[in-house]
Amino acid sequence: MSGDLGPRVAISAAQLFVAQYPDVDLLLVGNESLLLPSVSKHKSYSARLSVLHAAEVVAMSDDPLFALRHKKGSSMWLSLEQLRGGKVDACVSAGNTGALLAMSKFLVKTFPGVDRPAICKPMPVDMGLTYMLDLGANINCTAGQLHQFAQMGNVLSKAGGVVSPRVALLNIGSEEQKGTEVLQLARQLMINDSRINYSGFVEASAIFSGVVDVIVCDGFHGNIALKASEGVARFAQEKMFKIAHKNALNKFLSTLAWPLLRQMRRELDPSSYNGASLLGLQKPVIKSHGNANINAFLQALIVAREQVVRQIPLLIQKEFQLN
């Protein structure tokens, strides 16, 4: 119900999702007077799209603690209650990130051994994906928490098919002596953990290089890196479009190169990688970008399904039981 574009995007994405995945049913939580008319238009999927009424909405401007205490009738709260009670297998929201984190930790809870959930998202690289966490949930982190993030990212990468994921810490330089005391302590914890294939420090310029499979950082620096990369991707797309339409010759040449340009635009499109996991929670909660379009929200739903199919929370639980 929240997010920058409201329920229209979520409903359209939901209809595409159930059409693409016949093994999935969706529960849409929100104001039924707005949701039911849209759902009823698509009778072929109506049996797999149900609605749970929620009278309230967590606004994007709401303080997370205020929402936690006073928005128990909101679509976000009721969605997470359904997840906690086992009535659904995963929850996806494009709403207020801070409120989603606060409510998720209160209702769904983290596993023993996990201090805080971390926002994790796949980043496109030349070959495969690089998982990066935390991307905004935890502004200040201890060395122990960074080590926990590394363990969770390691599990997620293995579930994606990487046998021995290369795990690195984001730093201002790759030299061993660089970085804060927290990073130095985290480095030592990861070196001492035989389950982690620690690959050293990595700079922000190498995030998309594919030299590592998991990049660990605190939420402050991770969120800045994420937003900067999304801005660069949009800039590159807009620049390509402007150059292609600058004059008649460019238009002609761009027509010839259109298949390549279309592929590049698709691979650089941030919406193709939408859907960040709140790792460490006992059940899958996926955060969609607030301004997600239909395709982007669809990607977030696909991520949620993958988390369920691959049993990511269970794998993380088993990892921390070994600690």
Side-chain angles (χ1 to χ4, degrees):
M1 290 302 299
S2 57
D4 299 343
L5 304 177
R8 173 181 55 83
V9 166
I11 293 170
S12 299
Q15 291 160 351
L16 291 173
F17 185 57
V18 295
Q20 187 171 344
Y21 295 98
D23 61 340
V24 173
D25 296 326
L26 281 182
L27 177 64
L28 305 175
V29 185
N31 189 324
E32 61 184 5
S33 65
L34 298 175
L35 301 180
L36 285 174
S38 297
V39 172
S40 62
K41 289 179 182 178
H42 298 263
K43 294 181 180 179
S44 58
Y45 304 124
S46 59
R48 295 168 52 209
L49 289 172
S50 53
V51 173
L52 175 65
H53 179 64
E56 293 183 277
V57 176
V58 175
M60 298 298 273
S61 59
D62 279 345
D63 176 76
L65 290 180
F66 175 85
L68 179 64
R69 293 168 181 163
H70 303 289
K71 291 289 184 84
K72 292 181 172 60
S74 66
S75 53
M76 185 180 289
W77 181 278
L78 294 180
S79 298
L80 292 167
E81 273 194 333
Q82 294 289 304
L83 182 62
R84 179 181 66 174
K87 296 179 180 179
V88 297
D89 297 302
C91 177
V92 180
S93 174
N96 183 315
T97 303
L100 183 65
L101 283 161
M103 289 183 181
S104 296
K105 190 170 182 183
F106 182 81
L107 291 171
V108 184
K109 303 189 183 307
T110 57
F111 289 114
V114 178
D115 294 343
R116 303 174 182 177
I119 298 177
C120 180
K121 180 179 177 180
M123 311 294 278
V125 296
D126 187 37
M127 294 289 290
L129 297 169
T130 291
Y131 292 98
M132 190 169 174
L133 71 166
D134 175 34
L135 296 178
N138 307 285
I139 302 303
N140 296 308
C141 297
T142 65
Q145 288 162 353
L146 292 176
H147 179 222
Q148 291 171 15
F149 299 167
Q151 290 176 274
M152 293 190 292
N154 191 50
V155 168
L156 187 59
S157 186
K158 283 184 177 179
V162 181
V163 177
S164 181
R166 300 158 296 174
V167 183
L169 281 163
L170 185 66
N171 202 348
I172 57 172
S174 58
E175 296 85 354
E176 291 183 359
Q177 72 275 13
K178 285 193 173 181
T180 63
E181 181 181 355
V182 170
L183 284 175
Q184 289 296 327
L185 291 173
R187 168 181 171 271
Q188 198 57 52
L189 288 173
M190 291 167 65
I191 288 174
N192 294 337
D193 190 340
S194 60
R195 293 167 296 179
I196 294 176
N197 177 17
Y198 178 64
S199 298
F201 293 132
V202 66
E203 297 181 61
S205 59
I207 289 174
F208 300 96
S209 67
V211 295
V212 293
D213 303 294
V214 179
I215 298 175
V216 177
C217 56
D218 62 54
F220 182 83
H221 296 96
N223 192 262
I224 289 175
L226 174 65
K227 297 291 175 59
S229 65
E230 290 175 345
V232 170
R234 282 192 292 269
F235 169 77
Q237 289 179 339
E238 292 168 3
K239 195 71 173 177
M240 282 167 39
F241 182 83
K242 288 179 180 179
I243 292 174
H245 292 80
K246 189 174 182 179
N247 52 50
L249 177 60
N250 283 14
K251 288 180 181 180
F252 173 72
L253 293 175
S254 64
T255 301
L256 297 178
W258 174 241
L260 295 176
L261 293 173
R262 183 173 56 185
Q263 180 180 349
M264 182 180 295
R265 183 173 183 177
R266 184 172 60 249
E267 292 183 1
L268 290 176
D269 186 0
S271 69
S272 300
Y273 304 93
N274 185 49
S277 310
L278 272 60
L279 292 185
L281 293 171
Q282 295 185 16
K283 296 186 178 182
V285 177
I286 307 301
K287 175 65 176 74
S288 167
H289 206 299
N291 65 358
N293 58 25
I294 294 171
N295 180 62
F297 201 90
L298 173 62
Q299 292 303 314
L301 291 169
I302 292 171
V303 171
R305 180 184 176 277
E306 289 176 349
Q307 293 265 306
V308 175
V309 171
R310 294 177 178 175
Q311 298 183 306
I312 299 302
L314 178 61
L315 295 175
I316 290 174
Q317 181 186 28
K318 290 179 177 179
E319 176 73 13
F320 281 86
Q321 285 174 341
L322 298 174
N323 287 354

